[in-house]
Amino acid sequence: MSKESFARGVALAALLATLCGMADAGVAAPTGAPACAEAAASVLPEPAQCLRGYELDPGGETPSLLAALYERNGTLVENHHYAEASRVMDCAEAVAGADPAPAVAQELARRRGVIEFRRECPLQALDWFKRALAAAERSENRLAQGKNWNNLGAALLRLGDVRGAVQAQTQSLALLRNVPGESARPLNNLAEIYRDQGDLAAAVRYYRQARDAHLAAGNAGEAAHTMESWGAALLDSGDVVGGEALLLQARAQMVRDGNRKYQQRTDAELARAALLRGDVAAASRWVDSGLAAVAAAEGETAPAPLQLQAARVARLRGQPEVARERAGAALRALAAHDSDRPALLAELAAAHEALGQWPQAMAALRESERAAQALREAQYDRETRWLQVRFETAERDRTIAALASGNQVRTLALWLTVVSALAALLGLTVFFLRRQQRARVAEAARRARLDEEIDYYRRAAAELGVDRARLQAALDSREDAVLVLDGAGQVLAANRAAGELLRPGAAEAPVGRGFGELLGADDARGFALALERLEESSAPQRLAFALGGEWLQGQLSESGQGEGSLVLGLQRAAAEPAADAAHDGAHDGAGPAEPLALEVEPAASGDEALRQSFRRALVELMLAVVEAWERSTGQGRLELAEKSRIWRVTVDDGRLRARAMERYLSLSKLPRQPRWRDVLRSGYYVLAECALEEPVRGELQRHVDAVLAYTRRNALV
């Protein structure tokens, strides 16, 4: 330590006790924080009178009048005339009326909040911003909501509620994220919050996002403001090179835009960066540039940061008198609670010290400390008041809740019981309804599957019928008269010769009718007897009958294909046959028609064991068909034969019988050439037409599948 510095310290210590009560006459003492208890005018002015006072036409349209008042209000706030700005808002509120639209109410409340915020009354500003947010939510204006959340965050930060401020700014960012240019404001405010908290990395991240948002929206001037704050933050952290680079970019854009006001602040920051580098000459050039910008703007005064850097440069260049004058002038222009006062007072003390004015230096230092203490106390008071408000609000809510619970415990308990019962009833109802719905869905699915199965069974039954097109082609190739019948005597197909023989001059043969229906009563009985004999024996049966006034002879035989179809060959008789031989189905003689050979591959014979297994499967299937029919309908096998129209019903000793079907219910009575197609058709008929239980349906389907397996294996189909 030099002798000069040591002597200066001793002198300052010696004078400290003497100067404790003194104050520098050239320094205005702070007058304390502004009174924030003032509320908006309870009685609004008469609209026409206040409009004339502002030289506005009372007969103009309300939106135009409000726009003019808003503009006047903004000018007054920028020039720190807050009382007059409040009176302008009183006039605007009177013009808007008692019940303004939500958008108008939102703007009125927001501007009131801005006035209070600028008056350093963040608690009152917070209340106005909340009102503005509520009005914006009523009008569903996302842009206004985002701006008011941003204002709420600024007020909460001023009250010391950092957590609430971050939450409010985050909500604002969520609302304004997709609005071009608007998301930059909450991003910039988030950067300022993290900068104040010492988190430089987070602050830089948000500064960069804010700058990019401004540039994406084409707002290069606003991007320059963000870069100016970003550069100042880097200077505070000690990154002089990075901060100075950002400040130079910001200043270049401000010069292009002609924005002298913000250029002055940027020049001040560049001067600070130069001083941090120890380059007093460069700092002097930046100060001169900023002061020149002030001189170019009429009616403006140099901002406090520029005055501070000008005083420092003058002092470092050996001009302490100039430094003292600049610091004193800047202090006289500042408000008592301005945040720049402590730094200017400290610089003033340094100027007094450089001039050897020790008492004045000590007084300025004490004043600087008092100003800083006043700012801290003001911040503390705001935070305390905010905590008090939150506590009182919570206590009021708790008291209201306690009173409500104390006075209405029984009522609430009763209502709770009723609501619980209703909820339980509703839950049970929903449970049963869902259960019924699931049951209905399951039943619908089951019904759909059943319908598909029924449709399949019907198609399968139809496919088991003889291919009439093939039969017809085979029959038409023969010159003799031939008919193909099923086991019940129904005509399945007939060639042209048979059609001409049976119905001369008719357009078509009697296909689809029973052959016995074409005959007289006695001949029909003889034909039925021949069918029965053919079931018991494979020997051809000869017939003679009268039809259309002439006598015909016929031979009834099996087709030889193992499918249960019959072939009836016909020819004209030379004379009426003898009565005893007319219906003799067993006499000898060459038949008029040899058995018909259909164009179908013959069924493979297989070994005897396989054939016996197939016959047993047929009997089991027929028994299962009859059992399923009787269990589902309560009717007998005779009704099955009649309704299915698969099996022939005959009269035996005065009673109806389905003798052909009964032969398929016993292995010993099963015909040598069983009509397995008719057995399968019977199974398909019951599956398609009867409402069967699932076990019964499954058992019947199993027997059907067993028969189908034999037929496929032995090429019977």
Side-chain angles (χ1 to χ4, degrees):
M1 179 183 295
S2 65
K3 294 182 179 180
E4 181 180 359
S5 298
F6 179 76
R8 184 183 303 164
V10 172
L12 288 173
L15 292 173
L16 180 61
T18 307
L19 299 177
C20 287
M22 296 178 61
D24 186 12
V27 179
T31 59
C36 293
E38 301 175 4
S42 57
V43 179
L44 297 177
E46 198 276 325
Q49 181 179 357
C50 71
L51 288 173
R52 282 191 293 268
Y54 295 125
E55 300 180 354
L56 296 174
D57 182 11
E61 295 183 356
T62 300
S64 300
L65 295 174
L66 289 176
L69 291 171
Y70 292 160
E71 183 178 1
R72 183 181 293 268
N73 166 261
T75 302
L76 291 170
V77 170
E78 287 298 322
N79 293 323
H80 310 291
H81 301 312
Y82 305 124
E84 181 60 27
S86 296
R87 286 191 288 272
V88 171
M89 293 311 300
D90 292 341
C91 185
E93 189 172 346
V95 171
D99 188 18
V104 176
Q106 182 273 142
E107 186 63 17
L108 291 172
R110 187 189 70 82
R111 288 181 176 272
R112 294 275 195 185
V114 170
I115 293 173
E116 296 299 326
F117 186 83
R118 298 291 292 272
R119 290 177 63 234
E120 296 294 332
C121 298
L123 193 58
Q124 287 71 16
L126 183 67
D127 181 60
W128 284 112
F129 290 148
K130 287 181 178 179
R131 297 185 195 182
L133 176 61
E137 290 174 344
R138 287 196 302 272
S139 62
E140 299 182 356
N141 188 334
R142 289 178 60 88
L143 178 59
Q145 291 178 47
K147 290 182 177 180
N148 282 292
W149 273 113
N150 179 69
N151 294 336
L152 279 169
L156 289 170
L157 182 63
R158 190 65 60 86
L159 290 168
D161 189 353
V162 178
R163 180 180 180 182
V166 172
Q167 291 175 344
Q169 296 295 350
T170 303
Q171 183 69 21
S172 173
L173 182 60
L175 289 166
L176 301 177
R177 175 71 74 177
N178 297 323
V179 181
E182 294 295 338
S183 62
R185 187 182 300 273
L187 286 170
N188 200 80
N189 289 340
L190 284 169
E192 294 292 339
I193 292 173
Y194 284 107
R195 173 185 174 182
D196 292 342
Q197 298 301 309
D199 190 347
L200 182 63
V204 168
R205 182 172 68 253
Y206 284 113
Y207 277 133
R208 182 177 289 109
Q209 293 180 24
R211 180 199 60 185
D212 295 343
H214 280 310
L215 292 176
N219 298 329
E222 295 297 331
H225 298 164
T226 298
M227 286 190 289
E228 187 267 334
S229 299
W230 185 358
L234 293 180
L235 290 182
D236 293 339
S237 67
D239 184 2
V240 179
V241 175
E244 194 170 23
L246 285 170
L247 290 169
L248 287 171
Q249 294 180 46
R251 185 182 185 279
Q253 182 61 46
M254 292 172 184
V255 171
R256 284 194 294 270
D257 294 342
N259 191 341
R260 294 189 179 89
K261 180 177 179 180
Y262 283 97
Q263 178 189 339
Q264 299 163 20
R265 296 180 177 275
T266 307
D267 287 342
E269 291 297 333
L270 285 168
R272 180 163 74 100
L275 290 177
L276 289 173
R277 290 190 290 105
D279 191 346
V280 178
S284 179
R285 288 194 298 272
W286 289 123
V287 167
D288 293 341
S289 174
L291 293 176
V294 174
E298 297 181 1
E300 289 188 5
T301 58
L306 182 60
Q307 293 277 45
L308 175 62
Q309 299 306 323
R312 285 178 179 171
V313 168
R315 177 173 55 83
L316 292 174
R317 294 180 66 182
Q319 299 173 345
E321 296 88 353
V322 176
R324 181 185 61 186
E325 292 302 324
R326 285 197 176 279
L331 285 167
R332 286 190 293 272
L334 287 181
H337 54 277
D338 196 289
S339 59
D340 291 320
R341 285 187 62 84
L344 280 169
L345 286 166
E347 184 57 37
L348 179 62
H352 283 304
E353 179 184 1
L355 291 170
Q357 299 172 350
W358 308 112
Q360 291 86 343
M362 291 298 298
L365 284 175
R366 287 197 304 273
E367 193 63 32
S368 174
E369 179 57 30
R370 280 198 295 268
Q373 182 66 24
L375 290 174
R376 290 192 295 270
E377 289 178 354
Q379 179 64 27
Y380 177 79
D381 291 342
R382 287 193 295 267
E383 295 176 4
T384 303
R385 179 56 182 159
W386 171 235
L387 292 174
Q388 181 182 357
V389 169
R390 294 176 62 181
F391 174 76
E392 290 175 353
T393 302
E395 283 297 301
R396 183 177 64 251
D397 294 342
R398 187 189 63 80
T399 302
I400 293 173
L403 289 174
S405 63
N407 295 333
Q408 301 178 2
V409 170
R410 294 183 180 179
T411 303
L412 289 177
L414 177 61
W415 277 109
L416 182 61
T417 303
V418 172
V419 170
S420 301
L422 289 175
L425 180 60
L426 180 61
L428 290 174
T429 303
V430 171
F431 171 76
F432 284 113
L433 288 176
R434 292 186 62 184
R435 185 174 180 180
Q436 292 178 0
Q437 177 67 15
R438 288 195 296 268
R440 284 195 295 269
V441 171
E443 177 62 22
R446 189 190 68 81
R447 188 71 249 179
R449 291 195 302 270
L450 183 59
D451 291 342
E452 291 179 0
E453 291 179 1
I454 290 173
D455 184 61
Y456 165 76
Y457 296 141
R458 288 173 177 167
R459 291 196 309 271
E463 291 172 359
L464 284 176
V466 179
D467 189 341
R468 295 187 179 181
R470 296 179 62 193
L471 279 177
Q472 194 65 48
L475 293 175
D476 288 342
S477 66
R478 298 175 64 98
E479 296 181 357
D480 52 345
V482 179
L483 293 88
V484 178
L485 313 177
D486 63 7
Q490 186 177 12
V491 180
L492 299 177
N495 64 358
R496 297 186 186 90
E500 290 292 335
L501 187 62
L502 295 176
R503 304 176 65 179
E508 57 183 10
V511 177
R513 297 180 59 187
F515 185 76
E517 299 176 8
L518 305 176
L519 307 177
D522 294 337
D523 292 335
R525 284 193 295 271
F527 176 70
L529 183 60
L531 288 175
E532 293 178 4
R533 288 176 179 173
L534 192 61
E535 289 180 355
E536 297 172 357
S537 173
S538 60
Q541 303 294 312
R542 296 185 178 277
L543 304 172
F545 50 86
L547 185 64
E550 62 178 328
W551 285 94
L552 301 178
Q553 291 181 347
Q555 177 175 288
L556 182 65
S557 61
E558 295 179 348
S559 67
Q561 307 303 319
E563 59 186 5
S565 58
L566 306 177
V567 176
L568 177 60
L570 299 174
Q571 68 179 7
R572 288 184 175 86
E576 180 179 356
D580 57 348
H583 303 294
D584 185 2
H587 64 76
D588 297 330
E594 61 190 35
L596 176 67
L598 300 180
E599 296 179 6
V600 181
E601 290 294 330
S605 59
D607 56 21
E608 185 61 25
L610 183 61
R611 183 170 294 278
Q612 289 300 321
S613 298
F614 174 59
R615 293 169 63 84
R616 188 178 302 107
L618 280 177
V619 173
E620 291 175 353
L621 173 57
M622 198 66 214
L623 289 171
V625 167
V626 173
E627 181 182 2
W629 169 266
E630 292 176 346
R631 291 183 61 177
S632 63
T633 65
Q635 299 176 353
R637 62 188 70 174
L638 187 62
E639 287 80 3
L640 172 61
E642 288 180 341
K643 294 183 178 180
S644 67
R645 302 180 65 86
I646 299 173
W647 306 99
R648 186 164 54 88
V649 178
T650 61
V651 180
D652 189 1
D653 296 332
R655 62 189 181 92
L656 298 175
R657 293 188 60 184
R659 296 180 60 188
M661 184 177 69
E662 291 173 357
R663 296 185 61 186
Y664 287 82
L665 298 176
S666 172
L667 188 60
S668 61
K669 296 180 181 180
L670 189 69
R672 187 177 60 84
Q673 293 289 340
R675 289 153 45 190
W676 57 268
R677 292 175 182 270
D678 291 343
V679 177
L680 276 177
R681 288 172 61 197
S682 301
Y684 289 146
Y685 174 80
V686 173
L687 285 169
E689 305 299 334
C690 297
L692 303 177
E693 298 178 355
E694 289 300 325
V696 177
R697 177 177 292 276
E699 180 67 15
L700 183 55
Q701 182 64 55
R702 186 180 66 80
H703 287 293
V704 169
D705 293 340
V707 172
L708 286 175
Y710 280 112
T711 61
R712 291 168 183 149
R713 180 175 180 180
N714 295 281
L716 293 174
V717 179

